[in-house]
mmCIF file with all atom_site columns, all heavy atoms in Angstrom:
data_model
loop_
_atom_site.group_PDB
_atom_site.id
_atom_site.type_symbol
_atom_site.label_atom_id
_atom_site.label_alt_id
_atom_site.label_comp_id
_atom_site.label_asym_id
_atom_site.label_entity_id
_atom_site.label_seq_id
_atom_site.pdbx_PDB_ins_code
_atom_site.Cartn_x
_atom_site.Cartn_y
_atom_site.Cartn_z
_atom_site.occupancy
_atom_site.B_iso_or_equiv
_atom_site.pdbx_formal_charge
_atom_site.auth_seq_id
_atom_site.auth_comp_id
_atom_site.auth_asym_id
_atom_site.auth_atom_id
_atom_site.pdbx_PDB_model_num
ATOM 1   N N   . HIS A 1 294 ? 3.298  25.263 -64.140 1.00 98.00 ? 734 HIS A N   1
ATOM 2   C CA  . HIS A 1 294 ? 4.085  25.219 -65.310 1.00 98.00 ? 734 HIS A CA  1
ATOM 3   C C   . HIS A 1 294 ? 5.275  26.106 -65.440 1.00 98.00 ? 734 HIS A C   1
ATOM 4   O O   . HIS A 1 294 ? 6.239  25.792 -65.943 1.00 98.00 ? 734 HIS A O   1
ATOM 5   C CB  . HIS A 1 294 ? 3.132  25.410 -66.494 1.00 98.00 ? 734 HIS A CB  1
ATOM 6   C CG  . HIS A 1 294 ? 2.757  26.889 -66.696 1.00 98.00 ? 734 HIS A CG  1
ATOM 7   N ND1 . HIS A 1 294 ? 1.677  27.378 -66.047 1.00 98.00 ? 734 HIS A ND1 1
ATOM 8   C CD2 . HIS A 1 294 ? 3.220  27.837 -67.445 1.00 98.00 ? 734 HIS A CD2 1
ATOM 9   C CE1 . HIS A 1 294 ? 1.470  28.573 -66.322 1.00 98.00 ? 734 HIS A CE1 1
ATOM 10  N NE2 . HIS A 1 294 ? 2.362  28.875 -67.167 1.00 98.00 ? 734 HIS A NE2 1
ATOM 11  N N   . ILE A 1 295 ? 5.173  27.262 -64.609 1.00 97.00 ? 735 ILE A N   1
ATOM 12  C CA  . ILE A 1 295 ? 6.403  28.147 -64.736 1.00 97.00 ? 735 ILE A CA  1
ATOM 13  C C   . ILE A 1 295 ? 7.484  27.574 -63.963 1.00 97.00 ? 735 ILE A C   1
ATOM 14  O O   . ILE A 1 295 ? 8.739  28.013 -64.364 1.00 97.00 ? 735 ILE A O   1
ATOM 15  C CB  . ILE A 1 295 ? 5.893  29.522 -63.952 1.00 97.00 ? 735 ILE A CB  1
ATOM 16  C CG1 . ILE A 1 295 ? 4.860  30.177 -64.856 1.00 97.00 ? 735 ILE A CG1 1
ATOM 17  C CG2 . ILE A 1 295 ? 7.091  30.469 -63.903 1.00 97.00 ? 735 ILE A CG2 1
ATOM 18  C CD1 . ILE A 1 295 ? 5.214  30.456 -66.168 1.00 97.00 ? 735 ILE A CD1 1
ATOM 19  N N   . LEU A 1 296 ? 7.409  26.577 -63.171 1.00 97.00 ? 736 LEU A N   1
ATOM 20  C CA  . LEU A 1 296 ? 8.481  25.909 -62.487 1.00 97.00 ? 736 LEU A CA  1
ATOM 21  C C   . LEU A 1 296 ? 9.487  25.318 -63.625 1.00 97.00 ? 736 LEU A C   1
ATOM 22  O O   . LEU A 1 296 ? 10.619 25.248 -63.520 1.00 97.00 ? 736 LEU A O   1
ATOM 23  C CB  . LEU A 1 296 ? 8.067  24.774 -61.511 1.00 97.00 ? 736 LEU A CB  1
ATOM 24  C CG  . LEU A 1 296 ? 7.324  25.253 -60.254 1.00 97.00 ? 736 LEU A CG  1
ATOM 25  C CD1 . LEU A 1 296 ? 6.704  23.998 -59.626 1.00 97.00 ? 736 LEU A CD1 1
ATOM 26  C CD2 . LEU A 1 296 ? 8.326  25.960 -59.347 1.00 97.00 ? 736 LEU A CD2 1
ATOM 27  N N   . PHE A 1 297 ? 8.823  24.759 -64.589 1.00 97.00 ? 737 PHE A N   1
ATOM 28  C CA  . PHE A 1 297 ? 9.563  24.179 -65.690 1.00 97.00 ? 737 PHE A CA  1
ATOM 29  C C   . PHE A 1 297 ? 9.878  25.058 -66.770 1.00 97.00 ? 737 PHE A C   1
ATOM 30  O O   . PHE A 1 297 ? 10.944 25.169 -67.446 1.00 97.00 ? 737 PHE A O   1
ATOM 31  C CB  . PHE A 1 297 ? 8.796  22.934 -66.206 1.00 97.00 ? 737 PHE A CB  1
ATOM 32  C CG  . PHE A 1 297 ? 8.276  21.962 -65.087 1.00 97.00 ? 737 PHE A CG  1
ATOM 33  C CD1 . PHE A 1 297 ? 6.936  22.055 -64.798 1.00 97.00 ? 737 PHE A CD1 1
ATOM 34  C CD2 . PHE A 1 297 ? 9.205  21.177 -64.455 1.00 97.00 ? 737 PHE A CD2 1
ATOM 35  C CE1 . PHE A 1 297 ? 6.489  21.129 -63.665 1.00 97.00 ? 737 PHE A CE1 1
ATOM 36  C CE2 . PHE A 1 297 ? 8.713  20.305 -63.500 1.00 97.00 ? 737 PHE A CE2 1
ATOM 37  C CZ  . PHE A 1 297 ? 7.340  20.288 -63.086 1.00 97.00 ? 737 PHE A CZ  1
ATOM 38  N N   . ALA A 1 298 ? 8.885  26.008 -67.228 1.00 97.00 ? 738 ALA A N   1
ATOM 39  C CA  . ALA A 1 298 ? 9.084  26.898 -68.345 1.00 97.00 ? 738 ALA A CA  1
ATOM 40  C C   . ALA A 1 298 ? 10.291 27.804 -68.021 1.00 97.00 ? 738 ALA A C   1
ATOM 41  O O   . ALA A 1 298 ? 11.011 28.189 -69.059 1.00 97.00 ? 738 ALA A O   1
ATOM 42  C CB  . ALA A 1 298 ? 7.752  27.599 -68.557 1.00 97.00 ? 738 ALA A CB  1
ATOM 43  N N   . ARG A 1 299 ? 10.400 28.392 -66.855 1.00 95.00 ? 739 ARG A N   1
ATOM 44  C CA  . ARG A 1 299 ? 11.516 29.318 -66.473 1.00 95.00 ? 739 ARG A CA  1
ATOM 45  C C   . ARG A 1 299 ? 12.830 28.622 -66.839 1.00 95.00 ? 739 ARG A C   1
ATOM 46  O O   . ARG A 1 299 ? 13.702 29.252 -67.424 1.00 95.00 ? 739 ARG A O   1
ATOM 47  C CB  . ARG A 1 299 ? 11.469 29.733 -65.141 1.00 95.00 ? 739 ARG A CB  1
ATOM 48  C CG  . ARG A 1 299 ? 12.589 30.576 -64.730 1.00 95.00 ? 739 ARG A CG  1
ATOM 49  C CD  . ARG A 1 299 ? 12.260 32.198 -65.117 1.00 95.00 ? 739 ARG A CD  1
ATOM 50  N NE  . ARG A 1 299 ? 13.261 32.989 -64.918 1.00 95.00 ? 739 ARG A NE  1
ATOM 51  C CZ  . ARG A 1 299 ? 13.566 33.537 -63.740 1.00 95.00 ? 739 ARG A CZ  1
ATOM 52  N NH1 . ARG A 1 299 ? 12.771 33.352 -62.664 1.00 95.00 ? 739 ARG A NH1 1
ATOM 53  N NH2 . ARG A 1 299 ? 14.578 34.372 -63.631 1.00 95.00 ? 739 ARG A NH2 1
ATOM 54  N N   . LEU A 1 300 ? 13.034 27.463 -66.381 1.00 96.00 ? 740 LEU A N   1
ATOM 55  C CA  . LEU A 1 300 ? 14.265 26.697 -66.622 1.00 96.00 ? 740 LEU A CA  1
ATOM 56  C C   . LEU A 1 300 ? 14.529 26.339 -68.100 1.00 96.00 ? 740 LEU A C   1
ATOM 57  O O   . LEU A 1 300 ? 15.617 26.450 -68.674 1.00 96.00 ? 740 LEU A O   1
ATOM 58  C CB  . LEU A 1 300 ? 14.498 25.507 -65.682 1.00 96.00 ? 740 LEU A CB  1
ATOM 59  C CG  . LEU A 1 300 ? 14.367 25.846 -64.096 1.00 96.00 ? 740 LEU A CG  1
ATOM 60  C CD1 . LEU A 1 300 ? 14.332 24.460 -63.383 1.00 96.00 ? 740 LEU A CD1 1
ATOM 61  C CD2 . LEU A 1 300 ? 15.674 26.744 -63.835 1.00 96.00 ? 740 LEU A CD2 1
ATOM 62  N N   . LEU A 1 301 ? 13.616 25.769 -68.675 1.00 97.00 ? 741 LEU A N   1
ATOM 63  C CA  . LEU A 1 301 ? 13.626 25.316 -69.952 1.00 97.00 ? 741 LEU A CA  1
ATOM 64  C C   . LEU A 1 301 ? 13.881 26.430 -71.057 1.00 97.00 ? 741 LEU A C   1
ATOM 65  O O   . LEU A 1 301 ? 14.625 26.245 -72.010 1.00 97.00 ? 741 LEU A O   1
ATOM 66  C CB  . LEU A 1 301 ? 12.343 24.620 -70.391 1.00 97.00 ? 741 LEU A CB  1
ATOM 67  C CG  . LEU A 1 301 ? 12.139 23.245 -69.619 1.00 97.00 ? 741 LEU A CG  1
ATOM 68  C CD1 . LEU A 1 301 ? 10.775 22.708 -69.965 1.00 97.00 ? 741 LEU A CD1 1
ATOM 69  C CD2 . LEU A 1 301 ? 13.106 22.197 -70.264 1.00 97.00 ? 741 LEU A CD2 1
ATOM 70  N N   . LEU A 1 302 ? 13.339 27.601 -70.736 1.00 96.00 ? 742 LEU A N   1
ATOM 71  C CA  . LEU A 1 302 ? 13.493 28.825 -71.564 1.00 96.00 ? 742 LEU A CA  1
ATOM 72  C C   . LEU A 1 302 ? 15.017 29.288 -71.452 1.00 96.00 ? 742 LEU A C   1
ATOM 73  O O   . LEU A 1 302 ? 15.529 29.725 -72.490 1.00 96.00 ? 742 LEU A O   1
ATOM 74  C CB  . LEU A 1 302 ? 12.542 29.945 -71.316 1.00 96.00 ? 742 LEU A CB  1
ATOM 75  C CG  . LEU A 1 302 ? 11.133 29.647 -71.815 1.00 96.00 ? 742 LEU A CG  1
ATOM 76  C CD1 . LEU A 1 302 ? 10.212 30.774 -71.125 1.00 96.00 ? 742 LEU A CD1 1
ATOM 77  C CD2 . LEU A 1 302 ? 11.083 29.863 -73.325 1.00 96.00 ? 742 LEU A CD2 1
ATOM 78  N N   . LEU A 1 303 ? 15.656 29.144 -70.306 1.00 94.00 ? 743 LEU A N   1
ATOM 79  C CA  . LEU A 1 303 ? 16.920 29.422 -70.161 1.00 94.00 ? 743 LEU A CA  1
ATOM 80  C C   . LEU A 1 303 ? 17.938 28.434 -70.813 1.00 94.00 ? 743 LEU A C   1
ATOM 81  O O   . LEU A 1 303 ? 18.907 28.806 -71.542 1.00 94.00 ? 743 LEU A O   1
ATOM 82  C CB  . LEU A 1 303 ? 17.305 29.565 -68.711 1.00 94.00 ? 743 LEU A CB  1
ATOM 83  C CG  . LEU A 1 303 ? 16.816 30.711 -67.970 1.00 94.00 ? 743 LEU A CG  1
ATOM 84  C CD1 . LEU A 1 303 ? 17.095 30.585 -66.481 1.00 94.00 ? 743 LEU A CD1 1
ATOM 85  C CD2 . LEU A 1 303 ? 17.439 31.983 -68.523 1.00 94.00 ? 743 LEU A CD2 1
ATOM 86  N N   . MET A 1 304 ? 17.467 27.236 -70.828 1.00 94.00 ? 744 MET A N   1
ATOM 87  C CA  . MET A 1 304 ? 18.239 26.086 -71.459 1.00 94.00 ? 744 MET A CA  1
ATOM 88  C C   . MET A 1 304 ? 18.147 26.124 -72.935 1.00 94.00 ? 744 MET A C   1
ATOM 89  O O   . MET A 1 304 ? 19.262 25.699 -73.617 1.00 94.00 ? 744 MET A O   1
ATOM 90  C CB  . MET A 1 304 ? 17.814 24.820 -70.863 1.00 94.00 ? 744 MET A CB  1
ATOM 91  C CG  . MET A 1 304 ? 18.288 24.696 -69.249 1.00 94.00 ? 744 MET A CG  1
ATOM 92  S SD  . MET A 1 304 ? 17.323 23.213 -68.551 1.00 94.00 ? 744 MET A SD  1
ATOM 93  C CE  . MET A 1 304 ? 18.225 21.819 -69.491 1.00 94.00 ? 744 MET A CE  1
ATOM 94  N N   . PHE A 1 305 ? 16.920 26.312 -73.323 1.00 94.00 ? 745 PHE A N   1
ATOM 95  C CA  . PHE A 1 305 ? 16.703 26.171 -74.863 1.00 94.00 ? 745 PHE A CA  1
ATOM 96  C C   . PHE A 1 305 ? 15.991 27.415 -75.481 1.00 94.00 ? 745 PHE A C   1
ATOM 97  O O   . PHE A 1 305 ? 14.774 27.380 -75.759 1.00 94.00 ? 745 PHE A O   1
ATOM 98  C CB  . PHE A 1 305 ? 15.856 24.842 -75.204 1.00 94.00 ? 745 PHE A CB  1
ATOM 99  C CG  . PHE A 1 305 ? 16.436 23.615 -74.490 1.00 94.00 ? 745 PHE A CG  1
ATOM 100 C CD1 . PHE A 1 305 ? 15.723 23.204 -73.359 1.00 94.00 ? 745 PHE A CD1 1
ATOM 101 C CD2 . PHE A 1 305 ? 17.480 22.968 -75.070 1.00 94.00 ? 745 PHE A CD2 1
ATOM 102 C CE1 . PHE A 1 305 ? 16.339 21.980 -72.816 1.00 94.00 ? 745 PHE A CE1 1
ATOM 103 C CE2 . PHE A 1 305 ? 18.071 21.791 -74.585 1.00 94.00 ? 745 PHE A CE2 1
ATOM 104 C CZ  . PHE A 1 305 ? 17.424 21.271 -73.445 1.00 94.00 ? 745 PHE A CZ  1
ATOM 105 N N   . PRO A 1 306 ? 16.644 28.411 -75.403 1.00 91.00 ? 746 PRO A N   1
ATOM 106 C CA  . PRO A 1 306 ? 16.016 29.879 -75.741 1.00 91.00 ? 746 PRO A CA  1
ATOM 107 C C   . PRO A 1 306 ? 15.615 30.004 -77.303 1.00 91.00 ? 746 PRO A C   1
ATOM 108 O O   . PRO A 1 306 ? 14.863 30.794 -77.520 1.00 91.00 ? 746 PRO A O   1
ATOM 109 C CB  . PRO A 1 306 ? 17.158 30.886 -75.433 1.00 91.00 ? 746 PRO A CB  1
ATOM 110 C CG  . PRO A 1 306 ? 18.466 30.052 -75.473 1.00 91.00 ? 746 PRO A CG  1
ATOM 111 C CD  . PRO A 1 306 ? 18.049 28.728 -75.123 1.00 91.00 ? 746 PRO A CD  1
ATOM 112 N N   . GLN A 1 307 ? 16.107 28.990 -78.083 1.00 91.00 ? 747 GLN A N   1
ATOM 113 C CA  . GLN A 1 307 ? 15.827 29.093 -79.391 1.00 91.00 ? 747 GLN A CA  1
ATOM 114 C C   . GLN A 1 307 ? 14.910 28.128 -80.072 1.00 91.00 ? 747 GLN A C   1
ATOM 115 O O   . GLN A 1 307 ? 14.627 28.013 -81.309 1.00 91.00 ? 747 GLN A O   1
ATOM 116 C CB  . GLN A 1 307 ? 17.094 29.118 -80.280 1.00 91.00 ? 747 GLN A CB  1
ATOM 117 C CG  . GLN A 1 307 ? 18.229 30.011 -79.861 1.00 91.00 ? 747 GLN A CG  1
ATOM 118 C CD  . GLN A 1 307 ? 17.770 31.421 -80.199 1.00 91.00 ? 747 GLN A CD  1
ATOM 119 O OE1 . GLN A 1 307 ? 17.104 31.793 -81.147 1.00 91.00 ? 747 GLN A OE1 1
ATOM 120 N NE2 . GLN A 1 307 ? 18.150 32.325 -79.256 1.00 91.00 ? 747 GLN A NE2 1
ATOM 121 N N   . VAL A 1 308 ? 14.310 27.395 -79.135 1.00 95.00 ? 748 VAL A N   1
ATOM 122 C CA  . VAL A 1 308 ? 13.388 26.245 -79.676 1.00 95.00 ? 748 VAL A CA  1
ATOM 123 C C   . VAL A 1 308 ? 12.154 26.267 -78.805 1.00 95.00 ? 748 VAL A C   1
ATOM 124 O O   . VAL A 1 308 ? 11.887 25.416 -77.863 1.00 95.00 ? 748 VAL A O   1
ATOM 125 C CB  . VAL A 1 308 ? 14.117 24.799 -79.603 1.00 95.00 ? 748 VAL A CB  1
ATOM 126 C CG1 . VAL A 1 308 ? 15.025 24.658 -80.755 1.00 95.00 ? 748 VAL A CG1 1
ATOM 127 C CG2 . VAL A 1 308 ? 14.914 24.586 -78.265 1.00 95.00 ? 748 VAL A CG2 1
#
Side-chain angles (χ1 to χ4, degrees):
H734 73 277
I735 296 298
L736 292 173
F737 309 105
R739 179 80 190 275
L740 297 175
L741 289 168
L742 284 169
L743 286 175
M744 295 168 60
F745 308 104
Q747 303 301 323
V748 283

